[in-house]
Amino acid sequence: MKSYAPLVTLAAVVALGAGFLVANTMSQRAATETSTAALVDPTAGDTAPSTVVDLGRLAPQAAPEAAPKAGSDAAAAPAVAEKAYAGWTSGRELSVAIAVKDGRAVGYVCDGAATEAWLEGVLSGDQLSLTSKDGATTITGTANEASSAGTVTAGGQEWSFEAEGVAAPAGLYEGRADVRGVATRVGWVVTGDGEVTGVASAAGERRPAPVLDPARPGAVVLDGVPVEVTSLDGGSAVIRR
């Protein structure tokens, strides 16, 4: 019996070691599973923040309404369909005539002697904006059924202006004539009280316009030559292209 004791003791040691090995393996496996669960489950641990969103709990949100586009038809609709205006700058430096039609605008400014300019532009809402061909003369302001007011810039200077809404025969007039083989153009501003101011231009030279009687436009003569006179509205083309 004593001869078997060492073998029994060795077997017991082996069994005990195997038991520790199995226990250690199971402990490591449990630790691994716990760590993996902590990574998968955002609620595991005391400090791990949740990044999981339950989309099923979110109430659907209505799409925001589109803002009205700038320059829409409603915003750009002219405040006045068709009208003519005539008046002066604040110190009567220049007479001013403007005609609008369907959102288009034409204008003329002159001093009755040697300064003049033809302008074209637009009426957007109640806002007027007109420019001469060379950009040196501008009219900006507002317009309604009763009047137009704003600013005239010309020759590097600036003046405020006021022009009342007028009916024919007041308004803006243009004259054309061939004087001694030279094309001549005339512009007139006729105010509501009948005051007439104009300038004639030929070959780059300007001078006071011939007398215009709005009641008899066909009677205008320049240097003995009949002048063809036309009353202009906002649809007329006044800048040569």
Side-chain angles (χ1 to χ4, degrees), residues 70-95:
S72 64
D73 291 341
V80 182
E82 184 172 3
K83 195 71 179 180
Y85 308 89
W88 292 87
T89 55
S90 55
R92 292 179 65 89
E93 297 87 357
L94 298 172
S95 59

mmCIF file with all atom_site columns, all heavy atoms in Angstrom, residues 70-95:
data_model
loop_
_atom_site.group_PDB
_atom_site.id
_atom_site.type_symbol
_atom_site.label_atom_id
_atom_site.label_alt_id
_atom_site.label_comp_id
_atom_site.label_asym_id
_atom_site.label_entity_id
_atom_site.label_seq_id
_atom_site.pdbx_PDB_ins_code
_atom_site.Cartn_x
_atom_site.Cartn_y
_atom_site.Cartn_z
_atom_site.occupancy
_atom_site.B_iso_or_equiv
_atom_site.pdbx_formal_charge
_atom_site.auth_seq_id
_atom_site.auth_comp_id
_atom_site.auth_asym_id
_atom_site.auth_atom_id
_atom_site.pdbx_PDB_model_num
ATOM 1   N N   . ALA A 1 70 ? -36.867 87.107  -53.369 1.00 0.00 ? 70 ALA A N   1
ATOM 2   C CA  . ALA A 1 70 ? -36.704 88.530  -53.649 1.00 0.00 ? 70 ALA A CA  1
ATOM 3   C C   . ALA A 1 70 ? -36.881 88.746  -55.136 1.00 0.00 ? 70 ALA A C   1
ATOM 4   O O   . ALA A 1 70 ? -36.466 87.956  -55.961 1.00 0.00 ? 70 ALA A O   1
ATOM 5   C CB  . ALA A 1 70 ? -35.310 88.988  -53.215 1.00 0.00 ? 70 ALA A CB  1
ATOM 6   N N   . GLY A 1 71 ? -37.502 89.878  -55.497 1.00 0.00 ? 71 GLY A N   1
ATOM 7   C CA  . GLY A 1 71 ? -37.722 90.156  -56.901 1.00 0.00 ? 71 GLY A CA  1
ATOM 8   C C   . GLY A 1 71 ? -38.857 89.350  -57.489 1.00 0.00 ? 71 GLY A C   1
ATOM 9   O O   . GLY A 1 71 ? -38.917 89.141  -58.690 1.00 0.00 ? 71 GLY A O   1
ATOM 10  N N   . SER A 1 72 ? -39.750 88.830  -56.654 1.00 0.00 ? 72 SER A N   1
ATOM 11  C CA  . SER A 1 72 ? -40.886 88.084  -57.161 1.00 0.00 ? 72 SER A CA  1
ATOM 12  C C   . SER A 1 72 ? -41.817 89.033  -57.911 1.00 0.00 ? 72 SER A C   1
ATOM 13  O O   . SER A 1 72 ? -41.703 90.253  -57.832 1.00 0.00 ? 72 SER A O   1
ATOM 14  C CB  . SER A 1 72 ? -41.643 87.425  -56.002 1.00 0.00 ? 72 SER A CB  1
ATOM 15  O OG  . SER A 1 72 ? -42.186 88.415  -55.150 1.00 0.00 ? 72 SER A OG  1
ATOM 16  N N   . ASP A 1 73 ? -42.775 88.456  -58.642 1.00 0.00 ? 73 ASP A N   1
ATOM 17  C CA  . ASP A 1 73 ? -43.688 89.272  -59.436 1.00 0.00 ? 73 ASP A CA  1
ATOM 18  C C   . ASP A 1 73 ? -44.439 90.256  -58.568 1.00 0.00 ? 73 ASP A C   1
ATOM 19  O O   . ASP A 1 73 ? -44.653 91.408  -58.944 1.00 0.00 ? 73 ASP A O   1
ATOM 20  C CB  . ASP A 1 73 ? -44.678 88.365  -60.195 1.00 0.00 ? 73 ASP A CB  1
ATOM 21  C CG  . ASP A 1 73 ? -43.983 87.557  -61.286 1.00 0.00 ? 73 ASP A CG  1
ATOM 22  O OD1 . ASP A 1 73 ? -42.873 87.963  -61.668 1.00 0.00 ? 73 ASP A OD1 1
ATOM 23  O OD2 . ASP A 1 73 ? -44.543 86.545  -61.730 1.00 0.00 ? 73 ASP A OD2 1
ATOM 24  N N   . ALA A 1 74 ? -44.855 89.799  -57.359 1.00 0.00 ? 74 ALA A N   1
ATOM 25  C CA  . ALA A 1 74 ? -45.617 90.686  -56.484 1.00 0.00 ? 74 ALA A CA  1
ATOM 26  C C   . ALA A 1 74 ? -44.759 91.859  -56.042 1.00 0.00 ? 74 ALA A C   1
ATOM 27  O O   . ALA A 1 74 ? -45.204 92.995  -55.995 1.00 0.00 ? 74 ALA A O   1
ATOM 28  C CB  . ALA A 1 74 ? -46.131 89.911  -55.280 1.00 0.00 ? 74 ALA A CB  1
ATOM 29  N N   . ALA A 1 75 ? -43.496 91.597  -55.703 1.00 0.00 ? 75 ALA A N   1
ATOM 30  C CA  . ALA A 1 75 ? -42.611 92.652  -55.225 1.00 0.00 ? 75 ALA A CA  1
ATOM 31  C C   . ALA A 1 75 ? -42.234 93.604  -56.340 1.00 0.00 ? 75 ALA A C   1
ATOM 32  O O   . ALA A 1 75 ? -42.007 94.777  -56.107 1.00 0.00 ? 75 ALA A O   1
ATOM 33  C CB  . ALA A 1 75 ? -41.359 92.036  -54.613 1.00 0.00 ? 75 ALA A CB  1
ATOM 34  N N   . ALA A 1 76 ? -42.133 93.105  -57.579 1.00 0.00 ? 76 ALA A N   1
ATOM 35  C CA  . ALA A 1 76 ? -41.676 93.927  -58.692 1.00 0.00 ? 76 ALA A CA  1
ATOM 36  C C   . ALA A 1 76 ? -42.817 94.622  -59.430 1.00 0.00 ? 76 ALA A C   1
ATOM 37  O O   . ALA A 1 76 ? -42.564 95.410  -60.329 1.00 0.00 ? 76 ALA A O   1
ATOM 38  C CB  . ALA A 1 76 ? -40.877 93.070  -59.668 1.00 0.00 ? 76 ALA A CB  1
ATOM 39  N N   . ALA A 1 77 ? -44.051 94.319  -59.108 1.00 0.00 ? 77 ALA A N   1
ATOM 40  C CA  . ALA A 1 77 ? -45.177 94.918  -59.824 1.00 0.00 ? 77 ALA A CA  1
ATOM 41  C C   . ALA A 1 77 ? -45.129 96.439  -59.678 1.00 0.00 ? 77 ALA A C   1
ATOM 42  O O   . ALA A 1 77 ? -45.031 96.957  -58.572 1.00 0.00 ? 77 ALA A O   1
ATOM 43  C CB  . ALA A 1 77 ? -46.492 94.390  -59.272 1.00 0.00 ? 77 ALA A CB  1
ATOM 44  N N   . PRO A 1 78 ? -45.146 97.178  -60.790 1.00 0.00 ? 78 PRO A N   1
ATOM 45  C CA  . PRO A 1 78 ? -45.047 98.640  -60.692 1.00 0.00 ? 78 PRO A CA  1
ATOM 46  C C   . PRO A 1 78 ? -46.242 99.241  -59.968 1.00 0.00 ? 78 PRO A C   1
ATOM 47  O O   . PRO A 1 78 ? -47.381 98.808  -60.142 1.00 0.00 ? 78 PRO A O   1
ATOM 48  C CB  . PRO A 1 78 ? -44.991 99.086  -62.162 1.00 0.00 ? 78 PRO A CB  1
ATOM 49  C CG  . PRO A 1 78 ? -45.619 97.961  -62.930 1.00 0.00 ? 78 PRO A CG  1
ATOM 50  C CD  . PRO A 1 78 ? -45.269 96.711  -62.180 1.00 0.00 ? 78 PRO A CD  1
ATOM 51  N N   . ALA A 1 79 ? -45.964 100.247 -59.149 1.00 0.00 ? 79 ALA A N   1
ATOM 52  C CA  . ALA A 1 79 ? -47.025 100.907 -58.389 1.00 0.00 ? 79 ALA A CA  1
ATOM 53  C C   . ALA A 1 79 ? -47.965 101.683 -59.296 1.00 0.00 ? 79 ALA A C   1
ATOM 54  O O   . ALA A 1 79 ? -49.122 101.913 -58.945 1.00 0.00 ? 79 ALA A O   1
ATOM 55  C CB  . ALA A 1 79 ? -46.402 101.837 -57.347 1.00 0.00 ? 79 ALA A CB  1
ATOM 56  N N   . VAL A 1 80 ? -47.466 102.081 -60.462 1.00 0.00 ? 80 VAL A N   1
ATOM 57  C CA  . VAL A 1 80 ? -48.259 102.837 -61.430 1.00 0.00 ? 80 VAL A CA  1
ATOM 58  C C   . VAL A 1 80 ? -48.125 102.172 -62.787 1.00 0.00 ? 80 VAL A C   1
ATOM 59  O O   . VAL A 1 80 ? -47.011 101.894 -63.241 1.00 0.00 ? 80 VAL A O   1
ATOM 60  C CB  . VAL A 1 80 ? -47.767 104.301 -61.525 1.00 0.00 ? 80 VAL A CB  1
ATOM 61  C CG1 . VAL A 1 80 ? -48.619 105.091 -62.502 1.00 0.00 ? 80 VAL A CG1 1
ATOM 62  C CG2 . VAL A 1 80 ? -47.766 104.967 -60.158 1.00 0.00 ? 80 VAL A CG2 1
ATOM 63  N N   . ALA A 1 81 ? -49.245 101.896 -63.438 1.00 0.00 ? 81 ALA A N   1
ATOM 64  C CA  . ALA A 1 81 ? -49.193 101.227 -64.738 1.00 0.00 ? 81 ALA A CA  1
ATOM 65  C C   . ALA A 1 81 ? -48.669 102.158 -65.826 1.00 0.00 ? 81 ALA A C   1
ATOM 66  O O   . ALA A 1 81 ? -47.782 101.794 -66.602 1.00 0.00 ? 81 ALA A O   1
ATOM 67  C CB  . ALA A 1 81 ? -50.578 100.708 -65.119 1.00 0.00 ? 81 ALA A CB  1
ATOM 68  N N   . GLU A 1 82 ? -49.207 103.374 -65.892 1.00 0.00 ? 82 GLU A N   1
ATOM 69  C CA  . GLU A 1 82 ? -48.763 104.330 -66.907 1.00 0.00 ? 82 GLU A CA  1
ATOM 70  C C   . GLU A 1 82 ? -49.001 105.753 -66.410 1.00 0.00 ? 82 GLU A C   1
ATOM 71  O O   . GLU A 1 82 ? -50.093 106.081 -65.947 1.00 0.00 ? 82 GLU A O   1
ATOM 72  C CB  . GLU A 1 82 ? -49.501 104.112 -68.227 1.00 0.00 ? 82 GLU A CB  1
ATOM 73  C CG  . GLU A 1 82 ? -49.024 105.008 -69.351 1.00 0.00 ? 82 GLU A CG  1
ATOM 74  C CD  . GLU A 1 82 ? -49.632 104.660 -70.704 1.00 0.00 ? 82 GLU A CD  1
ATOM 75  O OE1 . GLU A 1 82 ? -50.477 103.744 -70.747 1.00 0.00 ? 82 GLU A OE1 1
ATOM 76  O OE2 . GLU A 1 82 ? -49.258 105.300 -71.705 1.00 0.00 ? 82 GLU A OE2 1
ATOM 77  N N   . LYS A 1 83 ? -47.954 106.576 -66.496 1.00 0.00 ? 83 LYS A N   1
ATOM 78  C CA  . LYS A 1 83 ? -48.069 107.949 -65.991 1.00 0.00 ? 83 LYS A CA  1
ATOM 79  C C   . LYS A 1 83 ? -46.910 108.787 -66.506 1.00 0.00 ? 83 LYS A C   1
ATOM 80  O O   . LYS A 1 83 ? -45.837 108.256 -66.822 1.00 0.00 ? 83 LYS A O   1
ATOM 81  C CB  . LYS A 1 83 ? -48.030 107.941 -64.454 1.00 0.00 ? 83 LYS A CB  1
ATOM 82  C CG  . LYS A 1 83 ? -48.504 109.233 -63.814 1.00 0.00 ? 83 LYS A CG  1
ATOM 83  C CD  . LYS A 1 83 ? -50.002 109.422 -63.963 1.00 0.00 ? 83 LYS A CD  1
ATOM 84  C CE  . LYS A 1 83 ? -50.496 110.690 -63.316 1.00 0.00 ? 83 LYS A CE  1
ATOM 85  N NZ  . LYS A 1 83 ? -51.946 110.859 -63.460 1.00 0.00 ? 83 LYS A NZ  1
ATOM 86  N N   . ALA A 1 84 ? -47.139 110.105 -66.594 1.00 0.00 ? 84 ALA A N   1
ATOM 87  C CA  . ALA A 1 84 ? -46.072 111.052 -66.920 1.00 0.00 ? 84 ALA A CA  1
ATOM 88  C C   . ALA A 1 84 ? -45.930 112.036 -65.766 1.00 0.00 ? 84 ALA A C   1
ATOM 89  O O   . ALA A 1 84 ? -46.916 112.365 -65.082 1.00 0.00 ? 84 ALA A O   1
ATOM 90  C CB  . ALA A 1 84 ? -46.393 111.792 -68.213 1.00 0.00 ? 84 ALA A CB  1
ATOM 91  N N   . TYR A 1 85 ? -44.707 112.485 -65.543 1.00 0.00 ? 85 TYR A N   1
ATOM 92  C CA  . TYR A 1 85 ? -44.407 113.438 -64.465 1.00 0.00 ? 85 TYR A CA  1
ATOM 93  C C   . TYR A 1 85 ? -43.539 114.560 -65.032 1.00 0.00 ? 85 TYR A C   1
ATOM 94  O O   . TYR A 1 85 ? -42.690 114.323 -65.907 1.00 0.00 ? 85 TYR A O   1
ATOM 95  C CB  . TYR A 1 85 ? -43.646 112.747 -63.331 1.00 0.00 ? 85 TYR A CB  1
ATOM 96  C CG  . TYR A 1 85 ? -44.301 111.497 -62.809 1.00 0.00 ? 85 TYR A CG  1
ATOM 97  C CD1 . TYR A 1 85 ? -44.019 110.251 -63.370 1.00 0.00 ? 85 TYR A CD1 1
ATOM 98  C CD2 . TYR A 1 85 ? -45.209 111.552 -61.754 1.00 0.00 ? 85 TYR A CD2 1
ATOM 99  C CE1 . TYR A 1 85 ? -44.617 109.098 -62.904 1.00 0.00 ? 85 TYR A CE1 1
ATOM 100 C CE2 . TYR A 1 85 ? -45.820 110.388 -61.271 1.00 0.00 ? 85 TYR A CE2 1
ATOM 101 C CZ  . TYR A 1 85 ? -45.514 109.172 -61.850 1.00 0.00 ? 85 TYR A CZ  1
ATOM 102 O OH  . TYR A 1 85 ? -46.116 108.026 -61.391 1.00 0.00 ? 85 TYR A OH  1
ATOM 103 N N   . ALA A 1 86 ? -43.726 115.751 -64.509 1.00 0.00 ? 86 ALA A N   1
ATOM 104 C CA  . ALA A 1 86 ? -42.911 116.880 -64.945 1.00 0.00 ? 86 ALA A CA  1
ATOM 105 C C   . ALA A 1 86 ? -42.681 117.816 -63.767 1.00 0.00 ? 86 ALA A C   1
ATOM 106 O O   . ALA A 1 86 ? -43.604 118.072 -62.978 1.00 0.00 ? 86 ALA A O   1
ATOM 107 C CB  . ALA A 1 86 ? -43.588 117.626 -66.088 1.00 0.00 ? 86 ALA A CB  1
ATOM 108 N N   . GLY A 1 87 ? -41.456 118.330 -63.647 1.00 0.00 ? 87 GLY A N   1
ATOM 109 C CA  . GLY A 1 87 ? -41.143 119.223 -62.534 1.00 0.00 ? 87 GLY A CA  1
ATOM 110 C C   . GLY A 1 87 ? -39.732 119.750 -62.626 1.00 0.00 ? 87 GLY A C   1
ATOM 111 O O   . GLY A 1 87 ? -39.139 119.833 -63.713 1.00 0.00 ? 87 GLY A O   1
ATOM 112 N N   . TRP A 1 88 ? -39.166 120.076 -61.453 1.00 0.00 ? 88 TRP A N   1
ATOM 113 C CA  . TRP A 1 88 ? -37.857 120.704 -61.379 1.00 0.00 ? 88 TRP A CA  1
ATOM 114 C C   . TRP A 1 88 ? -37.041 120.134 -60.224 1.00 0.00 ? 88 TRP A C   1
ATOM 115 O O   . TRP A 1 88 ? -37.604 119.594 -59.271 1.00 0.00 ? 88 TRP A O   1
ATOM 116 C CB  . TRP A 1 88 ? -38.011 122.207 -61.143 1.00 0.00 ? 88 TRP A CB  1
ATOM 117 C CG  . TRP A 1 88 ? -38.601 122.972 -62.290 1.00 0.00 ? 88 TRP A CG  1
ATOM 118 C CD1 . TRP A 1 88 ? -39.935 123.170 -62.546 1.00 0.00 ? 88 TRP A CD1 1
ATOM 119 C CD2 . TRP A 1 88 ? -37.881 123.631 -63.322 1.00 0.00 ? 88 TRP A CD2 1
ATOM 120 N NE1 . TRP A 1 88 ? -40.087 123.921 -63.679 1.00 0.00 ? 88 TRP A NE1 1
ATOM 121 C CE2 . TRP A 1 88 ? -38.839 124.220 -64.183 1.00 0.00 ? 88 TRP A CE2 1
ATOM 122 C CE3 . TRP A 1 88 ? -36.526 123.798 -63.615 1.00 0.00 ? 88 TRP A CE3 1
ATOM 123 C CZ2 . TRP A 1 88 ? -38.499 124.953 -65.307 1.00 0.00 ? 88 TRP A CZ2 1
ATOM 124 C CZ3 . TRP A 1 88 ? -36.169 124.533 -64.740 1.00 0.00 ? 88 TRP A CZ3 1
ATOM 125 C CH2 . TRP A 1 88 ? -37.148 125.103 -65.572 1.00 0.00 ? 88 TRP A CH2 1
ATOM 126 N N   . THR A 1 89 ? -35.706 120.335 -60.332 1.00 0.00 ? 89 THR A N   1
ATOM 127 C CA  . THR A 1 89 ? -34.865 120.089 -59.173 1.00 0.00 ? 89 THR A CA  1
ATOM 128 C C   . THR A 1 89 ? -35.119 121.217 -58.171 1.00 0.00 ? 89 THR A C   1
ATOM 129 O O   . THR A 1 89 ? -35.729 122.241 -58.504 1.00 0.00 ? 89 THR A O   1
ATOM 130 C CB  . THR A 1 89 ? -33.383 120.053 -59.572 1.00 0.00 ? 89 THR A CB  1
ATOM 131 O OG1 . THR A 1 89 ? -33.034 121.263 -60.249 1.00 0.00 ? 89 THR A OG1 1
ATOM 132 C CG2 . THR A 1 89 ? -33.098 118.863 -60.468 1.00 0.00 ? 89 THR A CG2 1
ATOM 133 N N   . SER A 1 90 ? -34.638 121.017 -56.953 1.00 0.00 ? 90 SER A N   1
ATOM 134 C CA  . SER A 1 90 ? -35.007 121.905 -55.849 1.00 0.00 ? 90 SER A CA  1
ATOM 135 C C   . SER A 1 90 ? -34.700 123.380 -56.100 1.00 0.00 ? 90 SER A C   1
ATOM 136 O O   . SER A 1 90 ? -35.452 124.261 -55.671 1.00 0.00 ? 90 SER A O   1
ATOM 137 C CB  . SER A 1 90 ? -34.316 121.446 -54.561 1.00 0.00 ? 90 SER A CB  1
ATOM 138 O OG  . SER A 1 90 ? -32.908 121.374 -54.764 1.00 0.00 ? 90 SER A OG  1
ATOM 139 N N   . GLY A 1 91 ? -33.599 123.684 -56.781 1.00 0.00 ? 91 GLY A N   1
ATOM 140 C CA  . GLY A 1 91 ? -33.252 125.083 -57.052 1.00 0.00 ? 91 GLY A CA  1
ATOM 141 C C   . GLY A 1 91 ? -33.517 125.483 -58.484 1.00 0.00 ? 91 GLY A C   1
ATOM 142 O O   . GLY A 1 91 ? -32.955 126.497 -58.943 1.00 0.00 ? 91 GLY A O   1
ATOM 143 N N   . ARG A 1 92 ? -34.335 124.700 -59.182 1.00 0.00 ? 92 ARG A N   1
ATOM 144 C CA  . ARG A 1 92 ? -34.661 124.931 -60.591 1.00 0.00 ? 92 ARG A CA  1
ATOM 145 C C   . ARG A 1 92 ? -33.402 124.904 -61.476 1.00 0.00 ? 92 ARG A C   1
ATOM 146 O O   . ARG A 1 92 ? -33.338 125.585 -62.502 1.00 0.00 ? 92 ARG A O   1
ATOM 147 C CB  . ARG A 1 92 ? -35.425 126.247 -60.773 1.00 0.00 ? 92 ARG A CB  1
ATOM 148 C CG  . ARG A 1 92 ? -36.817 126.209 -60.160 1.00 0.00 ? 92 ARG A CG  1
ATOM 149 C CD  . ARG A 1 92 ? -37.546 127.547 -60.345 1.00 0.00 ? 92 ARG A CD  1
ATOM 150 N NE  . ARG A 1 92 ? -37.814 127.831 -61.754 1.00 0.00 ? 92 ARG A NE  1
ATOM 151 C CZ  . ARG A 1 92 ? -38.905 127.446 -62.409 1.00 0.00 ? 92 ARG A CZ  1
ATOM 152 N NH1 . ARG A 1 92 ? -39.853 126.742 -61.789 1.00 0.00 ? 92 ARG A NH1 1
ATOM 153 N NH2 . ARG A 1 92 ? -39.085 127.767 -63.683 1.00 0.00 ? 92 ARG A NH2 1
ATOM 154 N N   . GLU A 1 93 ? -32.448 124.093 -61.083 1.00 0.00 ? 93 GLU A N   1
ATOM 155 C CA  . GLU A 1 93 ? -31.259 123.953 -61.923 1.00 0.00 ? 93 GLU A CA  1
ATOM 156 C C   . GLU A 1 93 ? -31.585 123.189 -63.202 1.00 0.00 ? 93 GLU A C   1
ATOM 157 O O   . GLU A 1 93 ? -31.043 123.479 -64.270 1.00 0.00 ? 93 GLU A O   1
ATOM 158 C CB  . GLU A 1 93 ? -30.153 123.210 -61.166 1.00 0.00 ? 93 GLU A CB  1
ATOM 159 C CG  . GLU A 1 93 ? -29.632 123.900 -59.921 1.00 0.00 ? 93 GLU A CG  1
ATOM 160 C CD  . GLU A 1 93 ? -30.449 123.568 -58.676 1.00 0.00 ? 93 GLU A CD  1
ATOM 161 O OE1 . GLU A 1 93 ? -31.463 122.843 -58.789 1.00 0.00 ? 93 GLU A OE1 1
ATOM 162 O OE2 . GLU A 1 93 ? -30.049 124.023 -57.584 1.00 0.00 ? 93 GLU A OE2 1
ATOM 163 N N   . LEU A 1 94 ? -32.449 122.157 -63.070 1.00 0.00 ? 94 LEU A N   1
ATOM 164 C CA  . LEU A 1 94 ? -32.823 121.315 -64.210 1.00 0.00 ? 94 LEU A CA  1
ATOM 165 C C   . LEU A 1 94 ? -34.319 121.056 -64.194 1.00 0.00 ? 94 LEU A C   1
ATOM 166 O O   . LEU A 1 94 ? -34.907 120.852 -63.126 1.00 0.00 ? 94 LEU A O   1
ATOM 167 C CB  . LEU A 1 94 ? -32.094 119.969 -64.148 1.00 0.00 ? 94 LEU A CB  1
ATOM 168 C CG  . LEU A 1 94 ? -30.567 119.966 -64.225 1.00 0.00 ? 94 LEU A CG  1
ATOM 169 C CD1 . LEU A 1 94 ? -30.044 118.558 -63.938 1.00 0.00 ? 94 LEU A CD1 1
ATOM 170 C CD2 . LEU A 1 94 ? -30.078 120.444 -65.585 1.00 0.00 ? 94 LEU A CD2 1
ATOM 171 N N   . SER A 1 95 ? -34.908 121.064 -65.396 1.00 0.00 ? 95 SER A N   1
ATOM 172 C CA  . SER A 1 95 ? -36.282 120.580 -65.501 1.00 0.00 ? 95 SER A CA  1
ATOM 173 C C   . SER A 1 95 ? -36.224 119.072 -65.686 1.00 0.00 ? 95 SER A C   1
ATOM 174 O O   . SER A 1 95 ? -35.268 118.531 -66.255 1.00 0.00 ? 95 SER A O   1
ATOM 175 C CB  . SER A 1 95 ? -37.009 121.238 -66.674 1.00 0.00 ? 95 SER A CB  1
ATOM 176 O OG  . SER A 1 95 ? -36.337 120.975 -67.893 1.00 0.00 ? 95 SER A OG  1
#
